[in-house]
Amino acid sequence: MAVVPETMRDDMTWQMGLVWEQVKSPVIVPALRLAVFLCLVMSVMLLVEKVYMAVVIVLFKLLGKRPDKRYKLEPIKDDVELGHSAYPMVLVQIPMYNEKEVYQLSIGAACGLSWPSDRIIIQVLDDSTDPVIKDLVEMECQKWASKGINIRYEIRDNRNGYKAGALKQGMKHSYVKQCDYVAIFDADFQPEPDFLWRTVPFLVHNPQLALIQARWKFVNADECLMTRMQEMSLDYHFTVEQEVGSSTYAFFGFNGTAGVWRITALNEAGGWKDRTTVEDMDLAVRASLKGWKFLFLGDIKVKNELPSTLKAYRYQQHRWSCGPANLFRKMAVEIAKNKKVSLLKKVHVIYNFFFVRKIVAHIVTFIFYCVVIPATVLIPEVHIPKWGSVYIPSIITILNAVGTPRSLHLLVFWILFENVMSLHRTKATFIGLLEAGRVNEWVVTEKLGDALKAKSATAKTAKKPGFRIGERLHLLELVTGAYLFFCGCYDMAFGNNRYFLYLFLQALAFFVVGFGYVGTFVPYS
């Protein structure tokens, strides 16, 4: 094997150093300064949005102006002459796809809804491709039908449009024409029996309302650390973002489940469309542009399940990040040109809802905290003011944490985990904006239902899954972790800003996820 002479190695090192110095000043430093400036601008935008929402929440709490109190609410009463026909006809849709573990839970909960039996139709929209699961779901529907429940089992010969396609096809059946409202529940959602009594009257007595959105309650939030992190993020979404949108009559998105739509509004908005992976948000935006209003009821909580594995969670987050960015690309001009809503509402939807919350929030989290800040360690000529690197992130983090007070002690873990997940959210956001390869990828989130309870008895003797390199190792996380670790070592050796404390912790978080030690198998008690 040839050995490179020491003099030649020294010469190569000197040449590489010379090239670096020649490129550094005219190219790298200005580019990094521009990146810092843009990230600081985005950080301020995100901070203003978070502070605005916090102020709105505090003011409405202090003044006692709950959004539901602004609308007329009277219980629906029996009419001696009309009988049950005084009650509106309600359609309950349950879209599902190979939901072996949860189909009984969702169908059972829907059939247990308290409403006059002749004024409700349960519609199971089964897109399952596994014939065994299809038979099980059909048998479950037949079981409830034999008990007098008006339940319809509907299937398609294709999966075109995925969930949006199934919901759209479900609305075409002749019996739906007699329905006034449609309640939608994903396959793992279990509404309480009084759900319709607490939601439908708002639609009956307030003709300007198109949607009633309920809150989600997570049955497996305490399953593992990853589910606790998810709970913190989603609780903020419901406790703050949805509450603010509802309280200020501004736009807020439909969550795709645990909601009741006025069918007239749904049809007027153009019905379900499958042009993005966020058909729920698409419908909500179009209905809002028609002048319809939405109401969020945080007191009504519908039980559901959080993804228990990192693989399922990553697929979910890709869809939730890519879809809004792609919808923004498709609808920004349409929203701006709309003449039925005020300029203020258009600005809110385009800037606040889409640009800041769905695009800036993802990009700045990863680019700034995991790329740009570490890069300034290697290039000390570029300085980041302390208010941008410490104060703003701290305030944003504290404001995010108010949604789940019981998890405040997990705040550091949440920050590190969210930064890791921002890698995939940022990638998905750019895919959506550029309409690239995986823009319409739809992978149904895996649910476990009662499988945990059934398996807990044998869990102690069960073996952990074997180590599979393809499933356990995640290259992007490992590369990012190595970059952060290198920057941390460099800062500890040559820097003076002590970023290495953060860099080592964040690198560790990327390594933990990268080597597959998060959400790999479900822990049993």
Side-chain angles (χ1 to χ4, degrees):
M1 184 175 65
V3 179
V4 179
E6 186 175 346
T7 54
M8 187 176 294
R9 290 201 301 268
D10 293 340
D11 187 55
M12 289 172 60
T13 304
W14 179 80
Q15 288 181 1
M16 290 176 63
L18 181 63
V19 171
W20 168 251
E21 289 299 328
Q22 289 178 339
V23 173
K24 180 179 174 183
S25 296
V27 179
I28 304 298
V29 172
L32 186 57
R33 281 177 177 160
L34 177 61
V36 168
F37 172 75
L38 293 176
C39 287
L40 289 175
V41 170
M42 288 191 289
S43 296
V44 171
M45 292 166 62
L46 188 59
L47 174 67
V48 171
E49 179 69 7
K50 297 289 186 182
V51 171
Y52 157 73
M53 289 191 290
V55 170
V56 170
I57 288 293
V58 171
L59 286 178
F60 277 85
K61 293 290 184 184
L62 291 176
L63 297 176
K65 292 187 176 181
R66 289 172 46 182
D68 56 303
K69 297 299 183 183
R70 300 181 178 186
Y71 292 98
K72 182 181 179 181
L73 177 62
E74 294 179 4
I76 302 174
K77 300 179 181 178
D78 289 324
D79 189 290
V80 178
E81 297 181 359
L82 297 177
H84 284 170
S85 60
Y87 293 85
M89 197 75 178
V90 179
L91 175 71
V92 178
Q93 290 185 315
I94 310 174
M96 58 176 59
Y97 171 74
N98 293 340
E99 308 287 1
K100 182 179 179 181
E101 305 294 351
V102 295
Y103 73 94
Q104 289 180 307
L105 297 175
S106 58
I107 294 175
C111 292
L113 288 169
S114 175
W115 198 254
S117 59
D118 58 339
R119 306 300 292 170
I120 184 172
I121 302 174
I122 311 297
Q123 187 184 65
V124 178
L125 304 170
D126 189 13
D127 272 0
S128 298
T129 53
D130 187 325
V132 175
I133 297 177
K134 289 181 72 171
D135 290 342
L136 290 172
V137 175
E138 186 174 11
M139 289 173 58
E140 185 71 12
C141 293
Q142 291 173 352
K143 183 188 79 174
W144 285 102
S146 66
K147 297 180 180 180
I149 301 297
N150 188 358
I151 185 169
R152 308 296 179 93
Y153 176 70
E154 306 290 357
I155 60 174
R156 301 187 292 164
D157 57 4
N158 60 71
R159 286 193 68 216
N160 294 343
Y162 303 108
K163 179 181 174 182
L167 293 170
K168 184 177 182 179
Q169 185 66 31
M171 297 300 293
K172 293 180 179 180
H173 295 283
S174 57
Y175 56 83
V176 174
K177 295 180 181 178
Q178 60 183 305
C179 298
D180 304 291
Y181 309 108
V182 55
I184 302 168
F185 301 102
D186 281 352
D188 58 316
F189 277 71
Q190 305 162 56
E192 296 296 329
D194 64 349
F195 179 86
L196 295 178
W197 290 111
R198 299 178 66 186
T199 54
V200 171
F202 279 103
L203 294 168
V204 171
H205 298 297
N206 301 278
Q208 73 274 36
L209 281 176
L211 166 69
I212 304 297
Q213 174 68 62
R215 184 173 172 173
W216 299 359
K217 180 181 179 181
F218 312 109
V219 297
N220 63 333
D222 293 325
E223 187 175 284
C224 61
L225 187 59
M226 191 184 76
T227 53
R228 288 289 292 271
M229 303 298 99
Q230 294 177 60
E231 181 193 40
M232 292 178 71
S233 298
L234 286 169
D235 275 353
Y236 176 82
H237 167 70
F238 286 108
T239 306
V240 179
E241 292 179 347
Q242 298 294 71
E243 283 281 5
V244 168
S246 186
S247 299
T248 59
Y249 292 110
F251 170 78
F252 67 87
F254 173 44
N255 294 117
T257 178
V260 187
W261 275 93
R262 185 186 302 274
I263 293 181
T264 303
L266 191 153
N267 292 334
E268 185 182 325
W272 295 102
K273 293 185 179 181
D274 59 5
R275 55 182 173 174
T276 70
T277 56
V278 283
E279 73 294 323
D280 44 12
M281 187 181 296
D282 189 346
L283 174 61
V285 172
R286 286 183 279 114
S288 179
L289 294 179
K290 293 289 184 180
W292 290 97
K293 297 185 182 300
F294 308 151
L295 175 62
F296 173 71
L297 298 177
D299 292 338
I300 302 177
K301 300 178 181 180
V302 182
K303 292 187 291 186
N304 71 295
E305 183 181 320
L306 292 164
S308 298
T309 65
L310 180 65
K311 181 180 179 181
Y313 186 51
R314 283 174 61 177
Y315 278 127
Q316 182 198 69
Q317 292 303 297
H318 173 85
R319 190 171 74 247
W320 286 4
S321 303
C322 179
N326 191 233
L327 184 63
F328 175 70
R329 171 192 171 110
K330 285 176 163 48
M331 291 201 70
V333 176
E334 180 183 343
I335 296 169
K337 290 182 177 179
N338 184 275
K339 296 181 179 179
K340 288 191 176 182
V341 297
S342 66
L343 176 62
L344 185 61
K345 188 166 188 175
K346 287 190 283 189
V347 170
H348 172 79
V349 174
I350 293 175
Y351 175 77
N352 299 77
F353 181 80
F354 274 113
F355 188 63
V356 177
R357 298 183 202 171
K358 307 301 180 183
I359 297 175
V360 167
H362 300 325
I363 293 176
V364 75
T365 302
F366 177 68
I367 299 296
F368 191 35
Y369 303 120
C370 300
V371 178
V372 172
I373 289 180
T376 61
V377 169
L378 307 177
I379 305 175
E381 293 91 338
V382 180
H383 174 70
I384 300 177
K386 186 174 287 188
W387 59 265
S389 61
V390 178
Y391 299 146
I392 286 182
S394 299
I395 296 172
I396 291 175
T397 300
I398 293 171
L399 293 177
N400 269 294
V402 299
T404 315
R406 78 184 188 99
S407 297
L408 282 175
H409 62 291
L410 300 175
L411 202 54
V412 173
F413 295 100
W414 178 78
I415 295 169
L416 298 175
F417 182 68
E418 281 293 291
N419 286 350
V420 174
M421 291 308 302
S422 70
L423 165 63
H424 297 284
R425 293 182 184 129
T426 300
K427 183 177 71 171
T429 298
F430 280 117
I431 288 174
L433 288 174
L434 300 175
E435 212 157 36
R438 294 173 58 198
V439 65
N440 289 319
E441 180 183 62
W442 182 287
V443 179
V444 176
T445 305
E446 180 185 12
K447 295 110 181 173
L448 297 178
D450 285 336
L452 276 177
K453 299 176 184 177
K455 295 177 182 177
S456 60
T458 59
K460 294 181 180 179
T461 58
K463 293 181 179 180
K464 295 181 181 179
F467 183 86
R468 296 181 181 178
I469 294 177
E471 294 181 4
R472 289 288 296 270
L473 295 183
H474 305 294
L475 185 60
L476 287 177
E477 284 88 344
L478 292 175
V479 170
T480 306
Y483 166 69
L484 291 167
F485 183 75
F486 173 76
C487 292
C489 292
Y490 189 92
D491 186 53
M492 187 167 63
F494 306 108
N496 55 10
N497 49 26
R498 295 185 179 179
Y499 282 163
F500 66 86
L501 296 173
Y502 157 73
L503 294 172
F504 284 147
L505 284 175
Q506 191 63 69
L508 179 61
F510 271 98
F511 284 139
V512 168
V513 176
F515 282 112
Y517 287 101
V518 171
T520 303
F521 66 96
V522 180
Y524 302 110
S525 57

